[in-house]
Amino acid sequence: MTQGSPLATTVVFHVGPLLVTRPVVTTWGIMTVLAVGSWLLTRRLRPEPSRRQAILELVVSGIESQIGEVVRQDARPLLPLLGTLFIFLLTANICGVVPGIQAPTGKIETPAALALIVFLSVHCFGVRARGLLGYLGSFAQPKLIMLPLNVLSEITRTFSLMVRLFGNIMSGEFLIALVLALTGLLVPIPLMALELLVGVVQAYIFFVLATVFIGAAVGGEANETSEAVASPATPVE
Amino acid sequence: MDAKVISIIAAAVAVSVGSIGPALGEGRSVAAAMDAIARQPEAAGTISRTLFVGLAMIETMAIYCLVIALILLFANPFA
């Protein structure tokens, strides 16, 4: 039964006592492609943009405006972290369609690491924006008795961030493998198209939720969003 | 019945029962969002962003059930 388990990973090679697994190698590959790609694209930036630079500016300013709409303040300090997170997740989720490559987010370690990054950066941005005491005091809002619940919600929302990404990507891969085993060669293609859509949507959701968490940590009470009320001040008729 | 059979049945029950609630909830929220977009097409961007995030929240419940089923099947502490 443990054969082909979605919770197990294949080890590629060892570095001393460390086991380097396949998702890690894939992640390194994606990191290299993204880093070299962005270095090549931003090598010659000019005031009057070429076509390539215009597309690049469109992507960056699009992500910036998305962050700005959620946090309702200057998006510039958050842009490097969240933009990289989004582009990395997008690449990682949809690289599973390339033959021979498995999406690294379909194994539990990669989403766990990303959720941990979000968890730590929420506190970093919160402390930097409000000061240590001010940020710690925000956990006792609105009453001191809410303190355990607020601390608990920090942990559970990080956990659900991890499980959501892992579950969606992994179940998609599992479904495709199952359909492929039961039927023929070309049958799972519509499912793979659906999986592309799911990958993009999950990358977007992870990005928006990270933005909401960080925005709630830096903002004051006016911007205090719990996980359930994810969008600030939706206009109602 | 040994523990293996029981955990296979339990995994199936967890997924099947656990997906009813999120399915109903997602249906309701999509219907409400459609209604809101039909009334106010200019707010479609904000509504669909909120809808996506909300759907992710609701879907988490179903994903939890899936994870429980996977643990029962592949990482069962008793079987």
Side-chain angles (χ1 to χ4, degrees):
Chain A
M1 205 68 191
T2 47
Q3 209 64 34
S5 158
L7 299 173
T9 50
T10 41
V11 176
V12 180
F13 60 90
H14 302 247
V15 181
L18 287 178
L19 306 176
V20 178
T21 55
R22 201 172 153 185
V24 177
V25 177
T26 321
T27 310
W28 287 343
I30 294 170
M31 278 158 62
T32 320
V33 167
L34 287 181
V36 172
S38 30
W39 177 74
L40 284 176
L41 284 173
T42 55
R43 210 164 32 148
R44 269 186 234 107
L45 294 179
R46 287 194 308 263
E48 58 282 346
S50 61
R51 182 176 297 182
R52 213 173 44 182
Q53 191 185 336
I55 295 173
L56 205 63
E57 286 178 4
L58 192 69
V59 170
V60 173
S61 60
I63 294 175
E64 189 181 359
S65 74
Q66 284 287 329
I67 300 173
E69 278 175 34
V70 175
V71 298
R72 296 284 170 94
Q73 52 179 317
D74 187 22
R76 264 303 151 109
L78 305 177
L79 184 62
L81 176 73
L82 293 170
T84 314
L85 198 61
F86 178 62
I87 293 174
F88 173 77
L89 274 172
L90 200 62
T91 326
N93 284 351
I94 66 179
C95 80
V97 271
V98 181
I101 298 180
Q102 275 183 333
T105 40
K107 300 288 176 191
I108 193 93
E109 305 97 328
T110 317
L114 291 172
L116 201 62
I117 292 173
V118 172
F119 177 73
L120 293 178
S121 54
V122 164
H123 302 310
C124 285
F125 280 111
V127 169
R128 199 192 291 170
R130 299 206 211 168
L132 186 60
L133 285 179
Y135 179 65
L136 288 180
S138 76
F139 280 100
Q141 295 290 339
K143 285 275 188 296
L144 188 62
I145 200 163
M146 297 296 281
L147 181 71
L149 282 181
N150 282 334
V151 173
L152 189 67
S153 94
E154 289 290 319
I155 297 165
T156 53
R157 74 187 190 185
T158 310
F159 183 73
S160 76
L161 203 61
M162 167 185 90
V163 168
R164 180 180 306 119
L165 183 61
F166 162 69
N168 275 290
I169 305 300
M170 183 275 308
S171 60
E173 281 187 348
F174 214 60
L175 193 65
I176 290 171
L178 218 59
V179 170
L180 188 65
L182 289 176
T183 60
L185 182 63
L186 298 175
V187 182
I189 288 180
L191 284 177
M192 291 173 83
L194 182 71
E195 202 45 38
L196 278 182
L197 176 73
V198 169
V200 174
V201 169
Q202 288 304 319
Y204 179 70
I205 285 173
F206 196 99
F207 157 74
V208 168
L209 286 179
T211 317
V212 167
F213 295 160
I214 293 178
V218 274
E221 274 82 68
N223 215 347
E224 194 78 88
T225 38
S226 72
E227 199 184 359
V229 193
S231 178
T234 324
V236 282
E237 52 186 48
Chain B
M1 278 199 289
D2 60 341
K4 211 172 243 177
V5 179
I6 293 176
S7 41
I8 291 173
I9 295 172
V13 169
V15 171
S16 53
V17 175
S19 54
I20 296 173
L24 292 175
E26 291 199 358
R28 284 186 64 115
S29 58
V30 172
M34 288 292 158
D35 197 28
I37 291 178
R39 282 165 197 253
Q40 256 191 328
E42 69 274 5
T46 318
I47 292 172
S48 38
R49 192 179 63 234
T50 319
L51 174 70
F52 271 131
V53 176
L55 284 183
M57 294 301 159
I58 303 167
E59 199 179 281
T60 311
M61 300 303 130
I63 301 279
Y64 283 156
C65 297
L66 177 70
V67 169
I68 295 291
L70 286 178
I71 289 174
L72 281 176
L73 289 179
F74 294 107
N76 198 325
F78 302 112

